[in-house]
């Protein structure tokens, strides 16, 4: 019997008992759908994060200093002088002081994250001001109480995104709003729109650190990122004597770490979802064993008419593979639909992977062949005489 004939018989067998066939496929359907949903959501999340990183520029460098006390310290002016001396490598630099604050306007209050920066920060981070302007050099130097807010912050405190010219209190101190940033995340809580920026010279007095330990820099170009990082490392090593007291990371390194983390997360989630495929394979083997028992007389008749063991075995293997393949196809359709539905519910972008679909389908067919082999082998070894006597 040819593979084509075996496939036709397999399809007829599935259609003759639709409910049993569906229940047999259920484990495969759930497993394949789970893999596709998880991979699609993780890929969507990864794509969003990559877009976010790329929007900030691939020449961004972050510096974090833990220090070692004593006279081995570095001031803001030292870092600024260093950047000027290496202007061929570094184009922009800003201190970055982040702290949690409470904002108030009359009866409205809001807890959010406040970031202290200088006038170069929006160019480094690719921030766009929609209304008003950003903090200027003189305001940083003279410690003027001005701030720039995100659209979420403006809406929550003032009931409108048009907040320029209004005042608010940061931890009890009155600040004037001089700018509102362009909306980037639908003005949602906890997003980039939920933010407030003030001169870093004021942020140091609000922060529990009481100093500047973080800086963001923009390399002159993508080609000078490595050179700028090497210069920075040499500079800090000359001060602290060890890399244990500072950390320098480029945007590309952050993206590489993110890729590694999402890859590990995907592997773990797919491994968990793969358990359903294993369960589905066991279900197929169980049904095929039942099918061999039910069709013992048929096997005896075919063998007595000259069917070789390979003919019997191929028939049952093809039937098992067809069952799991059909389950895989249903799982793929259901998985893609479920992924888009989940993405809509969680307001996430979804990116189905052709590779994941192909692998999930291939694994489902492979499971059918592997778990269908034992029942098929058992059927091929039946004695024609004993099979014909079976009642």
């Amino acid at each position: 019997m040819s593979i084509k004939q075996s496939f036709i018989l397999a399809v007829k067998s599935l259609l003759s008992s639709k409910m049993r066939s569906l229940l047999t496929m259920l484990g495969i359907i759930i497993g394949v759908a789970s893999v596709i949903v998880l991979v699609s959501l993780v890929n969507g999340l990864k794509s969003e994060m990559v877009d976010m990183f790329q929007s900030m520029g691939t020449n961004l460098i972050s510096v974090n200093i833990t220090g070692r006390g004593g006279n081995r310290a570095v001031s803001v002016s030292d870092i600024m002088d260093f950047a000027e001396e290496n202007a061929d490598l570094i184009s922009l630099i800003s201190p970055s002081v982040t702290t949690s604050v409470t904002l108030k306007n009359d009866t409205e209050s809001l807890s959010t994250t406040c970031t202290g920066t200088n006038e170069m920060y929006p160019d480094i981070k690719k921030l766009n001001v929609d209304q008003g302007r950003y903090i200027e050099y003189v305001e940083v130097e003279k410690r003027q109480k001005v701030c720039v807010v995100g659209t979420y912050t403006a809406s929550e405190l003032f009931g409108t995104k048009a907040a320029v010219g209004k005042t608010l209190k940061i931890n009890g101190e009155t600040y004037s709003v001089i700018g509102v940033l362009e909306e980037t995340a639908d003005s949602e809580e906890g997003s980039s729109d939920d933010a407030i920026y003030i001169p870093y010279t004021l942020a140091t007095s609000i922060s529990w650190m009481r100093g500047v330990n973080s800086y963001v820099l923009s390399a002159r170009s993508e080609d000078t990122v490595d050179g700028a990082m090497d210069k920075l490392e040499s500079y800090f090593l000359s001060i602290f004597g060890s890399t244990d007291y500072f950390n320098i990371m480029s945007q590309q390194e952050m993206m590489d770490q993110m890729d590694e983390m999402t890859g590990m997360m995907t592997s773990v989630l797919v491994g968990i979802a793969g358990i359903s495929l294993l369960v589905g394979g066991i279900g197929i083997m169980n049904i095929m064993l039942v099918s061999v028992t039910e069709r013992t007389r048929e096997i005896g008749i075919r063998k007595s008419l000259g069917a070789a063991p390979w003919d019997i075995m191929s028939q049952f293997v093809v039937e098992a593979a067809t069952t799991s393949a059909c389950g895989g196809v249903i799982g793929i359709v259901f998985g893609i639909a479920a992924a888009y539905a989940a993405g809509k519910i969680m307001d996430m972008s979804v990116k189905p992977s052709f590779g994941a679909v192909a692998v999930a389908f291939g694994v489902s067919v492979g499971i059918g062949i592997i778990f269908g082999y034992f029942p098929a082998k058992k059927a091929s070894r039946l004695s024609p005489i004993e099979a014909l006597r079976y009642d």
Side-chain angles (χ1 to χ4, degrees):
M1 180 184 292
S2 66
I3 299 296
K4 180 180 178 180
Q5 290 174 314
S6 297
F7 175 73
I8 293 171
L9 285 175
V11 172
K12 288 181 179 178
S13 177
L14 290 175
L15 294 176
S16 65
S17 183
K18 297 182 181 65
M19 183 56 69
R20 187 172 81 168
S21 299
L22 180 61
L23 293 175
T24 303
M25 300 175 197
L26 196 57
I28 299 293
I29 293 171
I30 294 172
V32 170
S34 299
V35 169
I36 291 173
V37 169
L38 292 172
V39 171
S40 298
L41 291 176
V42 171
N43 283 345
L45 177 63
K46 179 180 174 180
S47 178
E48 286 184 352
M49 293 177 71
V50 168
D51 290 342
M52 180 184 70
F53 280 122
Q54 288 181 339
S55 67
M56 291 188 288
T58 54
N59 56 344
L60 181 69
I61 301 172
S62 300
V63 177
N64 185 55
I65 304 168
T66 55
R68 59 184 299 178
N71 60 355
R72 295 194 181 187
V74 58
S75 67
V76 174
S77 58
D78 292 334
I79 297 291
M80 292 298 183
D81 290 341
F82 169 82
E84 286 184 14
E85 292 168 5
N86 294 276
D88 58 324
L89 298 174
I90 299 169
S91 61
L92 301 166
I93 180 169
S94 171
S96 178
V97 181
T98 305
T99 186
S100 297
V101 295
T102 300
L103 309 180
K104 284 190 176 181
N105 174 46
D106 293 332
T107 59
E108 300 295 331
S109 64
L110 175 68
S111 294
T112 188
T113 299
C114 175
T115 305
T117 75
N118 68 8
E119 71 283 358
M120 302 181 200
Y121 191 82
D123 292 325
I124 297 171
K125 286 284 194 174
K126 302 295 188 292
L127 300 179
N128 296 316
V129 179
D130 184 48
Q131 304 168 37
R133 60 177 176 80
Y134 199 75
I135 300 163
E136 294 179 347
Y137 173 80
V138 66
E139 291 163 335
V140 175
E141 290 299 306
K142 293 188 176 182
R143 297 168 57 88
Q144 294 181 5
K145 293 180 179 179
V146 294
C147 64
V148 177
V149 299
T151 50
Y152 171 82
T153 305
S155 298
E156 288 295 304
L157 291 177
F158 304 108
T160 175
K161 295 175 183 177
V164 175
K166 301 180 185 295
T167 60
L168 56 81
K169 288 187 176 181
I170 303 177
N171 289 358
E173 296 289 329
T174 302
Y175 284 69
S176 298
V177 179
I178 60 171
V180 178
L181 295 176
E182 187 179 88
E183 185 179 65
T184 57
D186 299 325
S187 297
E188 294 182 353
E189 183 179 2
S191 70
S192 56
D193 296 325
D194 182 5
I196 181 167
Y197 298 89
I198 64 174
Y200 79 87
T201 46
L202 291 170
T204 53
S205 61
I206 298 174
S207 171
W208 65 274
M209 294 292 292
R210 300 292 176 180
V212 179
N213 295 298
S214 296
Y215 297 84
V216 287
L217 304 88
S218 180
R220 185 63 62 182
S221 67
E222 290 184 26
D223 296 331
T224 64
V225 170
D226 291 337
M229 291 181 68
D230 290 339
K231 278 281 187 180
L232 283 163
E233 185 172 349
S234 298
Y235 174 70
F236 287 119
L237 277 173
S238 68
I239 297 172
F240 299 113
S242 171
T243 56
D244 295 337
Y245 304 105
F246 63 90
N247 181 57
I248 303 170
M249 183 172 289
S250 68
Q251 193 82 320
Q252 187 59 51
E253 287 178 331
M254 293 180 192
M255 291 175 65
D256 291 341
Q257 287 188 359
M258 182 201 68
D259 282 342
E260 186 177 347
M261 289 176 61
T262 53
M264 289 174 61
M265 183 169 64
T266 302
S267 298
V268 171
L269 292 174
V270 169
I272 294 171
I275 295 173
S276 297
L277 290 172
L278 180 63
V279 173
I282 294 172
I284 288 175
M285 183 170 66
N286 181 52
I287 292 299
M288 293 308 298
L289 285 170
V290 172
S291 180
V292 168
T293 303
E294 289 176 344
R295 295 156 66 182
T296 302
R297 286 182 63 84
E298 175 193 331
I299 294 169
I301 293 171
R302 289 191 60 198
K303 279 202 163 189
S304 65
L305 293 174
W310 163 253
D311 295 324
I312 304 298
M313 186 169 70
S314 64
Q315 177 186 347
F316 283 93
V317 168
V318 169
E319 187 171 324
T322 302
T323 302
S324 61
C326 290
V329 171
I330 296 171
I332 289 168
V333 174
F334 180 73
I336 293 174
Y340 279 108
K344 190 135 182 111
I345 292 170
M346 294 186 286
D347 195 23
M348 288 176 57
S349 64
V350 175
K351 198 172 182 181
S353 167
F354 175 78
V357 170
V359 169
F361 179 75
V363 168
S364 67
V365 174
I367 282 176
I369 294 172
I370 293 169
F371 283 89
Y373 176 77
F374 177 72
K377 192 71 173 177
K378 179 183 176 183
S380 67
R381 289 179 174 177
L382 286 175
S383 167
I385 297 174
E386 292 179 2
L388 287 168
R389 288 177 179 173
Y390 185 81
D391 188 4

